[in-house]
Amino acid sequence: MEILIPGLILVGFMIWASTRIKRNAAKAFEREEIETQGFSITKPEGFLAPVDPPDGLLFSAHSKDFGSEEAERIRCASAELSRFDDAHFDEICERVKTDSIRIISEQRGVIGERRSTIIVAERSEHDVEVETSYRIVAGDQAVYQLAVTVLLGHKEEYSSKVDLFLSSFNLK
């Protein structure tokens, strides 16, 4: 009896803590508006955006799920935002084309007085074919590249989320 009461209290505390952790983890995958001093972007539901992106990136996010078979170590979808200082807009666009297997589409224009291009390309990542949608925007002192990559077998599942990433990305 002396052990039963502290044991019940411990079990109750563990259940409470577990519920809180699960609830907070689920919130991390909800849709989120991300605002920084340099840009804004909307992270769709089902993606996790680490607070500190890997070196060289301004923003990164990835889906919860991984691919299957030869793609089991690759996320179904991921997004990365890079900044290229002292680079030319056309140079970054050409680099994307050079690194691709096939260009599916390319749209150029001016949005908010900034040159912008959306390039959709097939490429290989770790010997797995993926489709990457790039949004390249000329900033005042740098060129920004948002790359949203999806495993080919999951294109339809993530198409609306890719569109949200690309359309919501804005420089300030």
Side-chain angles (χ1 to χ4, degrees):
M1 193 65 154
E2 296 172 1
I3 298 175
L4 181 63
I5 294 173
L8 288 174
I9 292 172
L10 179 62
V11 168
F13 175 74
M14 290 172 58
I15 291 171
W16 174 82
S18 173
T19 303
R20 297 242 350 178
I21 291 169
K22 287 179 185 176
R23 191 177 314 136
N24 288 337
K27 283 183 181 180
F29 286 96
E30 291 178 356
R31 180 180 170 138
E32 180 180 4
E33 307 293 327
I34 297 170
E35 297 272 339
T36 70
Q37 291 179 345
F39 69 91
S40 65
I41 193 166
T42 300
K43 176 187 71 75
E45 182 178 346
F47 280 79
L48 177 67
V51 174
D52 295 321
D55 287 340
L57 298 177
L58 300 176
F59 168 81
S60 71
H62 57 78
S63 64
K64 184 188 309 187
D65 300 323
F66 287 88
S68 58
E69 298 174 18
E70 69 272 356
E72 66 185 9
R73 293 186 178 167
I74 300 175
R75 302 277 181 172
C76 288
S78 63
E80 297 179 338
L81 177 61
S82 304
R83 175 186 166 134
F84 299 98
D85 295 317
D86 300 324
H88 296 285
F89 178 81
D90 293 325
E91 177 184 308
I92 300 302
C93 293
E94 283 304 313
R95 187 181 307 168
V96 164
K97 293 176 188 177
T98 303
D99 293 343
S100 302
I101 295 171
R102 179 173 75 98
I103 302 300
I104 298 169
S105 68
E106 180 177 3
Q107 298 174 338
R108 289 184 176 245
V110 177
I111 300 173
E113 298 181 13
R114 297 184 191 274
R115 290 176 66 189
S116 179
T117 295
I118 295 178
I119 300 172
V120 180
E122 281 185 13
R123 59 187 195 82
S124 179
E125 186 174 293
H126 305 292
D127 297 326
V128 175
E129 288 193 15
V130 295
E131 182 177 285
T132 303
S133 299
Y134 297 91
R135 175 142 182 237
I136 303 167
V137 180
D140 294 334
Q141 299 172 1
V143 177
Y144 295 81
Q145 174 186 287
L146 174 64
V148 185
T149 301
V150 178
L151 293 173
L152 287 181
H154 297 271
K155 280 178 18 178
E156 289 184 28
E157 177 184 350
Y158 286 95
S159 66
S160 64
K161 295 175 183 189
V162 170
D163 291 343
L164 180 60
F165 268 126
L166 297 175
S167 64
S168 69
F169 171 58
N170 289 307
L171 294 180
K172 293 184 178 180

